[in-house]
Amino acid sequence: MTRATRRPALGRFAATLIATAALAACGGGGGNGDTPNPPAPQPQPLSVKLEKIGGYATGQFGVSAAEIPAYDATTQRLFVVNALAGKVDVLDLRVPANPVKIGEIDASGVLAGAEINSVAVHDGLVAVAIQAPVKTDAGRVALYRASDLTLLGSATVGALPDMITFTPDGKTVLLANEGEPSDDYQTDPEGSIAIVDVSSPAAPTVRIADFTAFNGQEATLRAQGVRIYGPGASAALDFEPEYIAISADGKTAWATLQENNAMAKIDIASATVTNILPLGFKDHGAPGNEMDVADEDGLINIRSLPGVRGLYLPDAMASYAVGGQTYLVTANEGDARAWGEGNNDYWAGDASKGFVEEFRVKHLVHTGGFDRRAGDDLPPQLRALGWGAQLNPTTFAYCGAVAGNPNACRNDDVLGRLNISWTMGYRTDALGNPVMFNAAGAEDPTGDRLMYDHLYSYGARSFSIWNGNGGLVWDSGAEFEKFFASDECKLGSARNIPCKDFFNSGHDEGSAKDSRSDAKGPEPEGVALGQVNGHTLAFIGLERMGGVLVYDITDPTAPKRLDYLNSREDWTTADPGTVLSTAGDLGPEGLVFIPAKRSPDGTPLVVVGNEVSGTTAVYRLNVSGGQP
């Protein structure tokens, strides 16, 4: 992703935890099932309430000055990626209510002009992922001593290392080398996973697990549901690892391939990608998968939308063990591929200067065709496919579509404002070429219109639990948006502001009710796991709506929401940056769970880096019940 929208790595602390599981699904279009183990006896009920007890503010708004936190119990220090500075801020957390900056890690000595993208810590050893000044060049991994910030060693890895995590034994770190293309798409490095032996920090050794073995298999992978669609890209060029989770035994890793709507499975010992796991889609026409897709009506209108399919496109991922199996928890953010957005030549029709897959439904199926958007937001690659597009009158009859005319389906308060991917959903022949239709809506080899049988939107507005083969075990469905629309949900540290008054708000604007409904809704991005009193908890950070949701996922087939805390305080000032000192926390990016036995004050904590407000928030878990 571009630097402005780069998505970090969040779950390096993710523990291996014990729970029970069986296989179930909510909506969806995935397979890859395992035979589940029978459920084990459940622990006693647990109550959790988050309380903000402190924080640290950089005083910088909207520039990603606080992103990824990592914690070292041996020194009681927080290490927080400050993307604005390209460094890591080091905070003393001995008094959790008052974190104090005591230093920083600057990787420019390792690589001139470098920026640090991610940080992980294991028993006094700090590992950072370093992006080269030209992001398509090879990056670095560097290792530091937590106690005095001494550089111990470094090594070269792949292009744009954007996430880093330790294996459970602390002897190996893995990096997701995202390998994004240049902004003009003229250079596109291969994505990969770097597997680094850090048992001797002064001399780390690197092996690369790449995707070249999947070159030539693109047609098969696409048929399975893997998105490979960059201009002229092979599998190795198109796959962009985003985030990594590791099994309890340290033998297997999984990496989200966000834009590809898939996961890669990696054998760590051999440094080999063993499988690509497609994640399928979420049927927003199915009961329980409803959503609000109109952002300009000022209303909460959560409804069933047949024909609309959500692509999970997960960002953060964490793992936990259940009866000998690994389960993966994902935050289904939904980033699109968008390069060349600021290049006038691209919008003027030069397809070699970028690739943007987002388009609104109202523009896609307008009876006046695509050219009415030329020079504005019409991707030239879409124009190359045809003159215009139509909606399948059978699938979309519920909103008025007929042959040759979408009618009310493209209205702003129906489907018109929804951002979808034009690269999917249109009818194709056996070779993958578009089947053309004429103006009357009849199939016609001489026609110039695409026929969209389904529309694919970004993200699932949910979090999901998957088995180790990529099979969907559970998804939160429409629960996030329905909760935010309820009288139960409250905002602010005092929990006294109705969520429904600011439903689907943006994270960098005020009085923004409903502003994100056309895109990805509350936009879940970060996830952290922790174990408290015999229960496995998931903490889900919401990038746009803000705040942290707490779920008990001890039974992966039946998670339960326990709490929600959003410590943004000002929801009405048009530009929150003008009231930054009192605005609270906006734009959660990375989360880390600190168990009571490793916490400075003996209580379980969650620390959140907030990229928009530039703040690091410290939350205490007030817990009752369960099995201490």
Side-chain angles (χ1 to χ4, degrees):
M1 291 154 225
T2 61
R3 186 67 181 137
T5 58
R6 178 180 53 78
R7 296 299 182 253
L10 310 172
R12 50 223 127 240
F13 58 89
T16 51
L17 308 166
I18 304 301
T20 59
L23 188 63
C26 179
N32 308 326
D34 282 343
T35 301
N37 293 333
Q42 295 298 297
Q44 296 298 311
L46 185 73
S47 173
V48 172
K49 189 170 184 177
L50 292 177
E51 174 190 8
K52 183 176 179 181
I53 61 171
Y56 171 77
T58 63
Q60 300 290 327
F61 178 80
V63 286
S64 299
E67 289 195 340
I68 315 304
Y71 174 70
D72 177 50
T74 64
T75 58
Q76 297 184 345
R77 290 179 170 183
L78 277 175
F79 296 82
V80 183
V81 172
N82 183 330
L84 171 66
K87 303 175 182 179
V88 173
D89 289 338
V90 182
L91 308 181
D92 185 340
L93 196 66
R94 286 179 294 176
V95 180
N98 185 33
V100 177
K101 183 177 177 180
I102 56 174
E104 60 186 24
I105 293 175
D106 182 351
S108 60
V110 175
L111 187 62
E115 299 178 29
I116 295 177
N117 285 342
S118 184
V119 61
V121 184
H122 190 282
D123 289 345
L125 182 63
V126 183
V128 299
I130 304 170
Q131 173 183 323
V134 177
K135 70 173 183 176
T136 53
D137 290 347
R140 305 276 292 182
V141 59
L143 304 166
Y144 297 82
R145 186 182 296 123
S147 59
D148 59 11
L149 310 184
T150 297
L151 174 65
L152 301 175
S154 67
T156 300
V157 292
L160 191 58
D162 198 31
M163 185 272 181
I164 190 167
T165 185
F166 279 90
T167 53
D169 63 7
K171 295 180 180 179
T172 304
V173 296
L174 277 69
L175 298 93
N177 301 314
E178 194 168 2
E180 287 179 350
S182 58
D183 289 351
D184 61 4
Y185 231 120
Q186 301 303 295
T187 304
D188 187 7
E190 293 184 357
S192 64
I193 305 296
I195 299 172
V196 186
D197 184 341
V198 297
S199 55
S200 176
T205 58
V206 180
R207 295 173 298 149
I208 297 293
D210 62 31
F211 297 99
T212 56
F214 297 94
N215 289 343
Q217 301 182 36
E218 289 83 2
T220 300
L221 290 167
R222 288 190 187 103
Q224 294 171 351
V226 179
R227 303 180 77 213
I228 302 174
Y229 60 102
S234 64
L237 290 173
D238 214 57
F239 291 157
E240 297 180 1
E242 185 77 22
Y243 199 91
I244 301 170
I246 300 174
S247 63
D249 59 12
K251 295 180 179 180
T252 306
W254 293 260
T256 55
L257 308 176
Q258 185 172 33
E259 289 85 353
N260 310 104
N261 198 38
M263 289 190 286
K265 192 172 184 177
I266 302 114
D267 179 74
I268 294 176
S270 64
T272 303
V273 179
T274 59
N275 206 354
I276 304 297
L277 308 172
L279 299 180
F281 60 85
K282 184 170 180 173
D283 180 1
H284 287 294
N289 286 344
E290 303 86 356
M291 61 179 179
D292 185 338
V293 299
D295 65 324
E296 293 192 339
D297 58 3
L299 303 174
I300 298 175
N301 190 2
I302 302 169
R303 55 187 164 173
S304 177
L305 299 168
V308 179
R309 295 173 169 180
L311 298 168
Y312 291 97
L313 307 174
D315 188 332
M317 174 170 58
S319 64
Y320 66 117
V322 178
Q325 297 187 49
T326 299
Y327 287 82
L328 305 166
V329 182
T330 61
N332 303 319
E333 180 197 19
D335 263 10
R337 183 165 282 164
W339 303 108
E341 290 176 295
N343 190 321
N344 291 332
D345 290 340
Y346 177 72
W347 297 119
D350 187 347
S352 72
K353 295 299 177 64
F355 184 85
V356 177
E357 63 164 315
E358 273 189 308
F359 212 47
R360 291 196 193 276
V361 173
K362 63 188 293 183
H363 304 322
L364 181 73
V365 298
H366 195 286
T367 55
F370 297 147
D371 289 342
R372 57 188 299 276
R373 305 300 301 179
D376 187 348
D377 59 356
L378 175 64
Q381 293 92 346
L382 171 60
R383 182 61 182 89
L385 291 176
W387 177 87
Q390 301 174 354
L391 289 179
N392 184 315
T394 300
T395 306
F396 295 96
Y398 70 93
C399 55
V402 296
N405 197 326
N407 288 314
C409 293
R410 65 172 299 276
N411 288 356
D412 285 356
D413 60 350
V414 186
L415 294 174
R417 296 281 299 170
L418 179 63
N419 286 306
I420 56 90
S421 174
W422 59 262
T423 67
M424 301 177 65
Y426 59 83
R427 196 173 307 176
T428 60
D429 61 22
L431 297 177
N433 299 312
V435 175
M436 305 309 295
F437 287 73
N438 61 31
E443 186 175 332
D444 182 351
T446 66
D448 55 9
R449 290 157 170 82
L450 306 171
M451 176 61 70
Y452 279 82
D453 296 319
H454 298 93
L455 299 171
Y456 286 84
S457 62
Y458 296 104
R461 307 189 184 195
S462 66
F463 83 99
S464 300
I465 300 178
W466 314 82
N467 64 36
N469 287 325
L472 184 63
V473 175
W474 183 88
D475 182 80
S476 61
E479 185 172 324
F480 288 1
E481 286 187 304
K482 288 182 177 179
F483 173 61
F484 295 134
S486 72
D487 292 330
E488 176 188 359
C489 183
K490 302 295 182 182
L491 302 168
S493 297
R495 303 175 187 248
N496 59 356
I497 304 169
C499 294
K500 62 184 180 181
D501 289 353
F502 300 98
F503 174 85
N504 277 356
S505 283
H507 57 8
D508 57 359
E509 54 189 346
S511 296
K513 178 180 178 179
D514 212 26
S515 69
R516 299 300 301 173
S517 291
D518 63 320
K520 296 173 277 186
E523 204 163 326
E525 179 174 9
V527 60
L529 303 187
Q531 191 169 34
V532 176
N533 292 2
H535 290 249
T536 303
L537 304 182
F539 304 91
I540 312 297
L542 304 175
E543 182 179 10
R544 300 291 177 165
M545 185 68 186
V548 177
L549 286 157
V550 185
Y551 276 79
D552 186 338
I553 60 169
T554 307
D555 178 356
T557 69
K560 300 175 182 177
R561 178 172 44 81
L562 300 182
D563 196 27
Y564 172 65
L565 179 61
N566 189 325
S567 51
R568 175 178 179 175
E569 309 298 346
D570 188 312
W571 289 82
T572 58
T573 302
D575 180 1
T578 63
V579 290
L580 184 57
S581 63
T582 57
D585 302 300
L586 295 82
E589 185 80 359
L591 305 86
V592 60
F593 171 75
I594 303 173
K597 65 182 179 181
R598 299 175 66 84
S599 169
D601 67 357
T603 65
L605 304 173
V606 172
V607 177
V608 181
N610 298 281
E611 64 171 344
V612 173
S613 56
T615 56
T616 301
V618 181
Y619 302 127
R620 174 181 291 138
L621 275 69
N622 296 309
V623 180
S624 62
Q627 298 171 343

